[in-house]
Structures are given as C-alpha cells and as structure tokens.
Amino acid sequence: AGRSSGRGSLVVVGVAAAAAMLVRATTGHAAALVPALPVELAQWFHFLAVGVWIGGLLPLALLLRERRAAGRPAPVAEAARFSRTAGWALLVVVITGVARTVSEAGGFGDVLAMLTDTSYGTALIVKLALAGALIGLGALNRRRSIPRLATDDGLLRKIVTVEVAAAVGVFALTGTLTSLNPDVARDEPPPPPARRATASGADFATTTRVTFTATPGTAGPNTFEARIVGYDDDLPVDADEVSVLMSPIGRPEIEPTTLELRPGGGDGAPRAWTGTGTQLSLAGAWDLVIQVRSGARTTEVPLVLVTRAPPTTSVVAQGSGDLPDIETFTLSTGEQLQLYLDPGTPGTNEYHVTAFDPQGQELPLSGLVVVAVDPDGMTETLDVTRLTPGHFAAPIETEAGRWTFEVVATSEGGTVLQATQEQEVVT
C-alpha cells in the first residue's frame, strides 16, 4: 500500500489494522475489568502507538537497503520524520502501558505483588526489559545514527535490524501474556476440596450439641474431632472425659468399638476433642454415641456418620408438572442409584431410592440407609420401606433450604453403593 501512487490504499490498510486492534483490545484482559470501556480504549491506543513505533522499523530498514542498492542518497528526511513520529508514539506507549499495568494489578499498591507473585508479572518484566532495550536503541539512532546518515548509513541499518529482532521477541511475550492470569489472588491454585465426613446432633434433652468430623472420612485410618458446645449458648462444654461408641449400621456381626478422645489445647473448656484410629473399618453408615462426662453426669449424643462417597457422575431428569426431578448417580463400577424427593416442597415428602445394575435392570438390595441432613446441619436417619426388591421409600418432613441426603445401599451380593445428593427445597 505504501508503494502505490495514491494514499487511498494506505488509508484503507491503516483503518483495517486499527479495526483489528480494536477487536483484540475488546476481547482480551481489558474486557474483563469493570468498567471495561476506559481500559479497552487505553489498550487500543497502546496497540496503535506500538503499530506506529515498531511497525515503522521494517519499512525504514527496507528503504535503507533499497537506497543503498540503487546507489541513491540515504533517506535522511524520511528517517528524521520517522524518528519524531516514533518518539510521540513511544510516549503514548509508555503512558498507556503504565495505565494498563496498574489496572490489571488492581491499583498502584498491587503492582509490585503482581510483578513478583504471578507468572504474568514475570513475563511482563521480561517484556519491559526488551522494550527498554528498544527504547535505548531508538535514542541511540536519534542522537548518533540519523545525524550522520548522509555520510554513513551503516550504524542505522545495524541498529534497525537489531530493533526488528527485539520487536519480534516483544510480540512473542505479548502473546504469552494473553494466556496468563494477571490477578494475584486468582493466580494461586484453588484450595483443595474438603475431604472429610461430618455429623451433627444433640442429646434428647437438648442440652448439648456435638459436631463430629472424620478426616479423610473414608474407611480405614482417620483423625476424629468432636466439637462439644451448649445447645443454647454455643459455648464449649467443660467436660472431664469424652468417648465415642461406633457401630456399623446393618452389620450386626461387627462388634462396636470405643474411642477415647483427648482434649485440645487452650485455657478453660477445650474447643475440640480429638483422636485417631481405624474404628471406621467399613464404608457406609455408622451409628455413633458421643459420651460426654462432666463430674457424675454423663450426656449421650447419638449421631449417624456416613463415610465419604466415592466419585460418581450424575444426571438430573427435570420433572414436568407435578413430577419431581430425578437424579441418577452412576458409580465407577457401573451400578446406578436413582434418587428423588417427592414432591420436593416444604412439608410432608417421600424420599425414593432405586438401585440398578450395570445393564440397567433393577438391582435387589439387602439393606439401605438414608441419612438426611437439614439446612441447619442436623442429621436424621430415615425409616425406609421396601416397595420392590431394589426400590425403597421413606417419609420425611422438610423445610425450605438446602438438604443433603447420604445414601448407602448394600446389594444382595454384598456390594456397597453410595451417593450424596444435594436437594434444594423451595416453596
């Protein structure tokens, strides 16, 4: 376009390039900030200024080469004009670059943290170093190469060649920056999900509340923690001894075991009682009795703890009309558990569980335990009734809020099928 006789084609190409830069400025990191418009404009002006500055280097290098090959005088006027234009473009590049760096960091105070604590900042530092070298070479051209261009074009040609090579590196780093996260908090790996099993409840006289946790919550060795507080005031209970009686539900051949818990540190009543052991020897549901002795008084808090369910995939079939939503969990072995709450509104409901084998046929069950966790974290073991060999139902009174249902089914062959369902009960 620059070689054409008229300026029309050059204007068209320039407008097209500016439009392409605008599209890129409105779809990158700048577009993710709020408000986006001023940051997108700064990004666009940054692109345009870089295009004028860096984009003019290659035509200048070609012009120097052509004039030298043709034996014509060096393009002194053109080089001086480009140097002045590039100087103004460089000023825009610096101003918009600083503005963009501050906006990406979230403020001046966060710039250092972004540069030192994120991979985005590391790449940006390297890019700034290359850009600084380019600026230094440009200053050298303006002070030494261009003034002596009429008699010697060798220095300018060499420096412009180095500038073009360095510019390629800058563009490569810019491309890398688009795939990195500039945010300090989001650049950190997310915390791992909680790997534990928890049960909460109170004694029948509603004097004591216990939250019991097993970590990692699977069958085998676990670390146990019991937080014991008053039912009304939520203050730690000053107990002398705390023990846990554990027995697997539906497995009468396994003897119950007892674990003595130790008080945690701190003055006064301990915030937690802890212990370790292999009492949770089987996957499934366990009856727990937390015994809290204070002087001559012993309080017993019954709980039901379900070991963590293995990974499953689930599909929800949306019910139409008065039909409830049905969620089907598929285990890694191919068996399925179909779960739903009918009608799924506050009040009287029925919770349904149906088991299927990998071929999709109803799977007869020898036992089923369903533990409901209400929105306040209190647990209840549902009284299930068999409807068919693999289909059970249990009545339950629900209130509005998020419920959790822990389902542990045992097939007639002894396979344990386990799933955890989250159910939102809405009015």
PDB file of all heavy atoms in Angstrom, residues 43-70:
ATOM      1  N   GLN A  43      -6.039   0.283  25.984  1.00  0.00           N
ATOM      2  CA  GLN A  43      -5.398  -0.847  25.307  1.00  0.00           C
ATOM      3  C   GLN A  43      -5.332  -0.609  23.805  1.00  0.00           C
ATOM      4  O   GLN A  43      -4.321  -0.916  23.158  1.00  0.00           O
ATOM      5  CB  GLN A  43      -6.188  -2.140  25.605  1.00  0.00           C
ATOM      6  CG  GLN A  43      -5.570  -3.393  25.015  1.00  0.00           C
ATOM      7  CD  GLN A  43      -4.448  -3.934  25.870  1.00  0.00           C
ATOM      8  OE1 GLN A  43      -3.666  -3.157  26.430  1.00  0.00           O
ATOM      9  NE2 GLN A  43      -4.348  -5.236  25.977  1.00  0.00           N
ATOM     10  N   TRP A  44      -6.396  -0.049  23.234  1.00  0.00           N
ATOM     11  CA  TRP A  44      -6.426   0.216  21.794  1.00  0.00           C
ATOM     12  C   TRP A  44      -5.367   1.254  21.414  1.00  0.00           C
ATOM     13  O   TRP A  44      -4.622   1.072  20.455  1.00  0.00           O
ATOM     14  CB  TRP A  44      -7.819   0.688  21.375  1.00  0.00           C
ATOM     15  CG  TRP A  44      -7.989   0.836  19.890  1.00  0.00           C
ATOM     16  CD1 TRP A  44      -7.483   0.026  18.923  1.00  0.00           C
ATOM     17  CD2 TRP A  44      -8.725   1.854  19.212  1.00  0.00           C
ATOM     18  NE1 TRP A  44      -7.857   0.465  17.667  1.00  0.00           N
ATOM     19  CE2 TRP A  44      -8.619   1.590  17.812  1.00  0.00           C
ATOM     20  CE3 TRP A  44      -9.475   2.951  19.637  1.00  0.00           C
ATOM     21  CZ2 TRP A  44      -9.239   2.397  16.861  1.00  0.00           C
ATOM     22  CZ3 TRP A  44     -10.097   3.740  18.682  1.00  0.00           C
ATOM     23  CH2 TRP A  44      -9.969   3.469  17.317  1.00  0.00           C
ATOM     24  N   PHE A  45      -5.287   2.368  22.174  1.00  0.00           N
ATOM     25  CA  PHE A  45      -4.270   3.385  21.891  1.00  0.00           C
ATOM     26  C   PHE A  45      -2.869   2.812  22.061  1.00  0.00           C
ATOM     27  O   PHE A  45      -1.938   3.189  21.345  1.00  0.00           O
ATOM     28  CB  PHE A  45      -4.464   4.596  22.810  1.00  0.00           C
ATOM     29  CG  PHE A  45      -5.691   5.411  22.489  1.00  0.00           C
ATOM     30  CD1 PHE A  45      -6.476   5.957  23.497  1.00  0.00           C
ATOM     31  CD2 PHE A  45      -6.079   5.623  21.172  1.00  0.00           C
ATOM     32  CE1 PHE A  45      -7.600   6.705  23.200  1.00  0.00           C
ATOM     33  CE2 PHE A  45      -7.207   6.366  20.870  1.00  0.00           C
ATOM     34  CZ  PHE A  45      -7.982   6.914  21.880  1.00  0.00           C
ATOM     35  N   HIS A  46      -2.712   1.897  23.009  1.00  0.00           N
ATOM     36  CA  HIS A  46      -1.418   1.232  23.199  1.00  0.00           C
ATOM     37  C   HIS A  46      -1.049   0.443  21.940  1.00  0.00           C
ATOM     38  O   HIS A  46       0.081   0.527  21.443  1.00  0.00           O
ATOM     39  CB  HIS A  46      -1.513   0.304  24.416  1.00  0.00           C
ATOM     40  CG  HIS A  46      -0.209  -0.286  24.840  1.00  0.00           C
ATOM     41  ND1 HIS A  46       0.765   0.430  25.489  1.00  0.00           N
ATOM     42  CD2 HIS A  46       0.293  -1.546  24.691  1.00  0.00           C
ATOM     43  CE1 HIS A  46       1.806  -0.353  25.741  1.00  0.00           C
ATOM     44  NE2 HIS A  46       1.540  -1.560  25.260  1.00  0.00           N
ATOM     45  N   PHE A  47      -2.003  -0.323  21.418  1.00  0.00           N
ATOM     46  CA  PHE A  47      -1.765  -1.086  20.188  1.00  0.00           C
ATOM     47  C   PHE A  47      -1.417  -0.167  19.020  1.00  0.00           C
ATOM     48  O   PHE A  47      -0.490  -0.429  18.251  1.00  0.00           O
ATOM     49  CB  PHE A  47      -3.001  -1.920  19.834  1.00  0.00           C
ATOM     50  CG  PHE A  47      -3.227  -3.104  20.730  1.00  0.00           C
ATOM     51  CD1 PHE A  47      -4.457  -3.761  20.739  1.00  0.00           C
ATOM     52  CD2 PHE A  47      -2.238  -3.575  21.578  1.00  0.00           C
ATOM     53  CE1 PHE A  47      -4.676  -4.852  21.554  1.00  0.00           C
ATOM     54  CE2 PHE A  47      -2.445  -4.668  22.395  1.00  0.00           C
ATOM     55  CZ  PHE A  47      -3.673  -5.308  22.384  1.00  0.00           C
ATOM     56  N   LEU A  48      -2.199   0.912  18.867  1.00  0.00           N
ATOM     57  CA  LEU A  48      -1.977   1.830  17.745  1.00  0.00           C
ATOM     58  C   LEU A  48      -0.586   2.461  17.825  1.00  0.00           C
ATOM     59  O   LEU A  48       0.124   2.562  16.815  1.00  0.00           O
ATOM     60  CB  LEU A  48      -3.049   2.921  17.742  1.00  0.00           C
ATOM     61  CG  LEU A  48      -4.482   2.481  17.411  1.00  0.00           C
ATOM     62  CD1 LEU A  48      -5.446   3.636  17.621  1.00  0.00           C
ATOM     63  CD2 LEU A  48      -4.569   1.962  15.983  1.00  0.00           C
ATOM     64  N   ALA A  49      -0.207   2.889  19.034  1.00  0.00           N
ATOM     65  CA  ALA A  49       1.097   3.524  19.191  1.00  0.00           C
ATOM     66  C   ALA A  49       2.232   2.543  18.931  1.00  0.00           C
ATOM     67  O   ALA A  49       3.242   2.894  18.298  1.00  0.00           O
ATOM     68  CB  ALA A  49       1.217   4.119  20.595  1.00  0.00           C
ATOM     69  N   VAL A  50       2.083   1.298  19.396  1.00  0.00           N
ATOM     70  CA  VAL A  50       3.091   0.278  19.112  1.00  0.00           C
ATOM     71  C   VAL A  50       3.166   0.021  17.607  1.00  0.00           C
ATOM     72  O   VAL A  50       4.252  -0.171  17.040  1.00  0.00           O
ATOM     73  CB  VAL A  50       2.776  -1.021  19.885  1.00  0.00           C
ATOM     74  CG1 VAL A  50       3.670  -2.154  19.409  1.00  0.00           C
ATOM     75  CG2 VAL A  50       2.958  -0.802  21.378  1.00  0.00           C
ATOM     76  N   GLY A  51       1.996   0.020  16.944  1.00  0.00           N
ATOM     77  CA  GLY A  51       1.988  -0.192  15.496  1.00  0.00           C
ATOM     78  C   GLY A  51       2.753   0.885  14.754  1.00  0.00           C
ATOM     79  O   GLY A  51       3.474   0.611  13.784  1.00  0.00           O
ATOM     80  N   VAL A  52       2.609   2.145  15.209  1.00  0.00           N
ATOM     81  CA  VAL A  52       3.341   3.244  14.570  1.00  0.00           C
ATOM     82  C   VAL A  52       4.837   3.133  14.852  1.00  0.00           C
ATOM     83  O   VAL A  52       5.676   3.289  13.959  1.00  0.00           O
ATOM     84  CB  VAL A  52       2.781   4.597  15.055  1.00  0.00           C
ATOM     85  CG1 VAL A  52       3.658   5.747  14.562  1.00  0.00           C
ATOM     86  CG2 VAL A  52       1.354   4.781  14.573  1.00  0.00           C
ATOM     87  N   TRP A  53       5.169   2.861  16.114  1.00  0.00           N
ATOM     88  CA  TRP A  53       6.583   2.818  16.524  1.00  0.00           C
ATOM     89  C   TRP A  53       7.303   1.604  15.933  1.00  0.00           C
ATOM     90  O   TRP A  53       8.228   1.734  15.133  1.00  0.00           O
ATOM     91  CB  TRP A  53       6.640   2.825  18.053  1.00  0.00           C
ATOM     92  CG  TRP A  53       7.981   2.565  18.655  1.00  0.00           C
ATOM     93  CD1 TRP A  53       9.197   2.962  18.165  1.00  0.00           C
ATOM     94  CD2 TRP A  53       8.252   1.846  19.858  1.00  0.00           C
ATOM     95  NE1 TRP A  53      10.212   2.551  18.986  1.00  0.00           N
ATOM     96  CE2 TRP A  53       9.661   1.865  20.048  1.00  0.00           C
ATOM     97  CE3 TRP A  53       7.452   1.212  20.811  1.00  0.00           C
ATOM     98  CZ2 TRP A  53      10.276   1.254  21.143  1.00  0.00           C
ATOM     99  CZ3 TRP A  53       8.064   0.630  21.903  1.00  0.00           C
ATOM    100  CH2 TRP A  53       9.446   0.637  22.063  1.00  0.00           C
ATOM    101  N   ILE A  54       6.860   0.407  16.338  1.00  0.00           N
ATOM    102  CA  ILE A  54       7.525  -0.808  15.884  1.00  0.00           C
ATOM    103  C   ILE A  54       7.218  -1.072  14.406  1.00  0.00           C
ATOM    104  O   ILE A  54       8.078  -1.535  13.648  1.00  0.00           O
ATOM    105  CB  ILE A  54       7.098  -2.013  16.745  1.00  0.00           C
ATOM    106  CG1 ILE A  54       7.405  -1.738  18.225  1.00  0.00           C
ATOM    107  CG2 ILE A  54       7.784  -3.285  16.286  1.00  0.00           C
ATOM    108  CD1 ILE A  54       8.864  -1.557  18.532  1.00  0.00           C
ATOM    109  N   GLY A  55       5.967  -0.776  14.018  1.00  0.00           N
ATOM    110  CA  GLY A  55       5.591  -1.050  12.631  1.00  0.00           C
ATOM    111  C   GLY A  55       6.374  -0.251  11.615  1.00  0.00           C
ATOM    112  O   GLY A  55       6.492  -0.656  10.449  1.00  0.00           O
ATOM    113  N   GLY A  56       6.941   0.905  12.026  1.00  0.00           N
ATOM    114  CA  GLY A  56       7.716   1.712  11.087  1.00  0.00           C
ATOM    115  C   GLY A  56       9.146   1.248  10.908  1.00  0.00           C
ATOM    116  O   GLY A  56       9.841   1.702   9.984  1.00  0.00           O
ATOM    117  N   LEU A  57       9.615   0.341  11.771  1.00  0.00           N
ATOM    118  CA  LEU A  57      11.007  -0.089  11.686  1.00  0.00           C
ATOM    119  C   LEU A  57      11.301  -0.880  10.414  1.00  0.00           C
ATOM    120  O   LEU A  57      12.317  -0.653   9.743  1.00  0.00           O
ATOM    121  CB  LEU A  57      11.365  -0.932  12.918  1.00  0.00           C
ATOM    122  CG  LEU A  57      11.445  -0.198  14.252  1.00  0.00           C
ATOM    123  CD1 LEU A  57      11.669  -1.184  15.389  1.00  0.00           C
ATOM    124  CD2 LEU A  57      12.565   0.836  14.217  1.00  0.00           C
ATOM    125  N   LEU A  58      10.438  -1.819  10.090  1.00  0.00           N
ATOM    126  CA  LEU A  58      10.696  -2.657   8.916  1.00  0.00           C
ATOM    127  C   LEU A  58      10.683  -1.863   7.615  1.00  0.00           C
ATOM    128  O   LEU A  58      11.599  -2.009   6.786  1.00  0.00           O
ATOM    129  CB  LEU A  58       9.679  -3.813   8.870  1.00  0.00           C
ATOM    130  CG  LEU A  58       9.925  -4.853   7.789  1.00  0.00           C
ATOM    131  CD1 LEU A  58      11.304  -5.484   7.937  1.00  0.00           C
ATOM    132  CD2 LEU A  58       8.845  -5.949   7.841  1.00  0.00           C
ATOM    133  N   PRO A  59       9.706  -0.985   7.358  1.00  0.00           N
ATOM    134  CA  PRO A  59       9.776  -0.144   6.147  1.00  0.00           C
ATOM    135  C   PRO A  59      11.030   0.722   6.110  1.00  0.00           C
ATOM    136  O   PRO A  59      11.609   0.933   5.030  1.00  0.00           O
ATOM    137  CB  PRO A  59       8.502   0.708   6.243  1.00  0.00           C
ATOM    138  CG  PRO A  59       7.565  -0.095   7.065  1.00  0.00           C
ATOM    139  CD  PRO A  59       8.430  -0.800   8.065  1.00  0.00           C
ATOM    140  N   LEU A  60      11.457   1.218   7.262  1.00  0.00           N
ATOM    141  CA  LEU A  60      12.674   2.023   7.290  1.00  0.00           C
ATOM    142  C   LEU A  60      13.885   1.186   6.906  1.00  0.00           C
ATOM    143  O   LEU A  60      14.748   1.627   6.130  1.00  0.00           O
ATOM    144  CB  LEU A  60      12.866   2.633   8.675  1.00  0.00           C
ATOM    145  CG  LEU A  60      14.132   3.480   8.876  1.00  0.00           C
ATOM    146  CD1 LEU A  60      14.142   4.664   7.900  1.00  0.00           C
ATOM    147  CD2 LEU A  60      14.237   3.982  10.324  1.00  0.00           C
ATOM    148  N   ALA A  61      13.945  -0.045   7.445  1.00  0.00           N
ATOM    149  CA  ALA A  61      15.065  -0.923   7.099  1.00  0.00           C
ATOM    150  C   ALA A  61      15.065  -1.244   5.606  1.00  0.00           C
ATOM    151  O   ALA A  61      16.127  -1.257   4.950  1.00  0.00           O
ATOM    152  CB  ALA A  61      14.992  -2.204   7.927  1.00  0.00           C
ATOM    153  N   LEU A  62      13.905  -1.507   5.025  1.00  0.00           N
ATOM    154  CA  LEU A  62      13.814  -1.802   3.590  1.00  0.00           C
ATOM    155  C   LEU A  62      14.198  -0.590   2.754  1.00  0.00           C
ATOM    156  O   LEU A  62      14.864  -0.717   1.704  1.00  0.00           O
ATOM    157  CB  LEU A  62      12.395  -2.273   3.251  1.00  0.00           C
ATOM    158  CG  LEU A  62      11.962  -3.605   3.868  1.00  0.00           C
ATOM    159  CD1 LEU A  62      10.503  -3.892   3.534  1.00  0.00           C
ATOM    160  CD2 LEU A  62      12.858  -4.741   3.374  1.00  0.00           C
ATOM    161  N   LEU A  63      13.776   0.588   3.201  1.00  0.00           N
ATOM    162  CA  LEU A  63      14.104   1.804   2.456  1.00  0.00           C
ATOM    163  C   LEU A  63      15.613   2.052   2.457  1.00  0.00           C
ATOM    164  O   LEU A  63      16.197   2.426   1.417  1.00  0.00           O
ATOM    165  CB  LEU A  63      13.364   2.993   3.078  1.00  0.00           C
ATOM    166  CG  LEU A  63      13.522   4.340   2.361  1.00  0.00           C
ATOM    167  CD1 LEU A  63      13.026   4.239   0.925  1.00  0.00           C
ATOM    168  CD2 LEU A  63      12.764   5.436   3.115  1.00  0.00           C
ATOM    169  N   LEU A  64      16.254   1.846   3.596  1.00  0.00           N
ATOM    170  CA  LEU A  64      17.705   1.999   3.657  1.00  0.00           C
ATOM    171  C   LEU A  64      18.403   1.023   2.720  1.00  0.00           C
ATOM    172  O   LEU A  64      19.359   1.388   2.013  1.00  0.00           O
ATOM    173  CB  LEU A  64      18.183   1.757   5.100  1.00  0.00           C
ATOM    174  CG  LEU A  64      17.868   2.842   6.127  1.00  0.00           C
ATOM    175  CD1 LEU A  64      18.155   2.329   7.538  1.00  0.00           C
ATOM    176  CD2 LEU A  64      18.691   4.100   5.852  1.00  0.00           C
ATOM    177  N   ARG A  65      17.908  -0.207   2.692  1.00  0.00           N
ATOM    178  CA  ARG A  65      18.519  -1.225   1.833  1.00  0.00           C
ATOM    179  C   ARG A  65      18.336  -0.884   0.359  1.00  0.00           C
ATOM    180  O   ARG A  65      19.271  -1.026  -0.453  1.00  0.00           O
ATOM    181  CB  ARG A  65      17.901  -2.589   2.164  1.00  0.00           C
ATOM    182  CG  ARG A  65      18.471  -3.736   1.353  1.00  0.00           C
ATOM    183  CD  ARG A  65      17.841  -5.042   1.788  1.00  0.00           C
ATOM    184  NE  ARG A  65      18.362  -6.156   1.019  1.00  0.00           N
ATOM    185  CZ  ARG A  65      17.986  -7.419   1.144  1.00  0.00           C
ATOM    186  NH1 ARG A  65      17.060  -7.714   2.060  1.00  0.00           N
ATOM    187  NH2 ARG A  65      18.503  -8.363   0.399  1.00  0.00           N
ATOM    188  N   GLU A  66      17.140  -0.439  -0.036  1.00  0.00           N
ATOM    189  CA  GLU A  66      16.874  -0.124  -1.434  1.00  0.00           C
ATOM    190  C   GLU A  66      17.711   1.075  -1.911  1.00  0.00           C
ATOM    191  O   GLU A  66      18.273   1.067  -3.013  1.00  0.00           O
ATOM    192  CB  GLU A  66      15.381   0.168  -1.625  1.00  0.00           C
ATOM    193  CG  GLU A  66      14.504  -1.056  -1.486  1.00  0.00           C
ATOM    194  CD  GLU A  66      13.031  -0.713  -1.599  1.00  0.00           C
ATOM    195  OE1 GLU A  66      12.719   0.492  -1.731  1.00  0.00           O
ATOM    196  OE2 GLU A  66      12.209  -1.634  -1.535  1.00  0.00           O
ATOM    197  N   ARG A  67      17.770   2.121  -1.079  1.00  0.00           N
ATOM    198  CA  ARG A  67      18.557   3.288  -1.455  1.00  0.00           C
ATOM    199  C   ARG A  67      20.036   2.912  -1.614  1.00  0.00           C
ATOM    200  O   ARG A  67      20.715   3.381  -2.539  1.00  0.00           O
ATOM    201  CB  ARG A  67      18.407   4.374  -0.397  1.00  0.00           C
ATOM    202  CG  ARG A  67      17.020   4.994  -0.314  1.00  0.00           C
ATOM    203  CD  ARG A  67      16.742   5.938  -1.470  1.00  0.00           C
ATOM    204  NE  ARG A  67      15.423   6.532  -1.386  1.00  0.00           N
ATOM    205  CZ  ARG A  67      15.173   7.692  -0.768  1.00  0.00           C
ATOM    206  NH1 ARG A  67      16.147   8.345  -0.154  1.00  0.00           N
ATOM    207  NH2 ARG A  67      13.937   8.174  -0.745  1.00  0.00           N
ATOM    208  N   ARG A  68      20.537   2.075  -0.728  1.00  0.00           N
ATOM    209  CA  ARG A  68      21.945   1.682  -0.810  1.00  0.00           C
ATOM    210  C   ARG A  68      22.192   0.838  -2.048  1.00  0.00           C
ATOM    211  O   ARG A  68      23.195   1.015  -2.756  1.00  0.00           O
ATOM    212  CB  ARG A  68      22.339   0.914   0.458  1.00  0.00           C
ATOM    213  CG  ARG A  68      23.821   0.567   0.523  1.00  0.00           C
ATOM    214  CD  ARG A  68      24.124  -0.178   1.814  1.00  0.00           C
ATOM    215  NE  ARG A  68      25.542  -0.485   1.937  1.00  0.00           N
ATOM    216  CZ  ARG A  68      26.455   0.342   2.432  1.00  0.00           C
ATOM    217  NH1 ARG A  68      26.084   1.538   2.871  1.00  0.00           N
ATOM    218  NH2 ARG A  68      27.723   0.001   2.508  1.00  0.00           N
ATOM    219  N   ALA A  69      21.244  -0.100  -2.344  1.00  0.00           N
ATOM    220  CA  ALA A  69      21.409  -0.959  -3.514  1.00  0.00           C
ATOM    221  C   ALA A  69      21.325  -0.159  -4.814  1.00  0.00           C
ATOM    222  O   ALA A  69      22.000  -0.492  -5.808  1.00  0.00           O
ATOM    223  CB  ALA A  69      20.354  -2.058  -3.498  1.00  0.00           C
ATOM    224  N   ALA A  70      20.496   0.885  -4.827  1.00  0.00           N
ATOM    225  CA  ALA A  70      20.337   1.690  -6.042  1.00  0.00           C
ATOM    226  C   ALA A  70      21.376   2.783  -6.161  1.00  0.00           C
ATOM    227  O   ALA A  70      21.394   3.528  -7.163  1.00  0.00           O
ATOM    228  CB  ALA A  70      18.933   2.291  -6.067  1.00  0.00           C
TER     229      ALA A  70
END
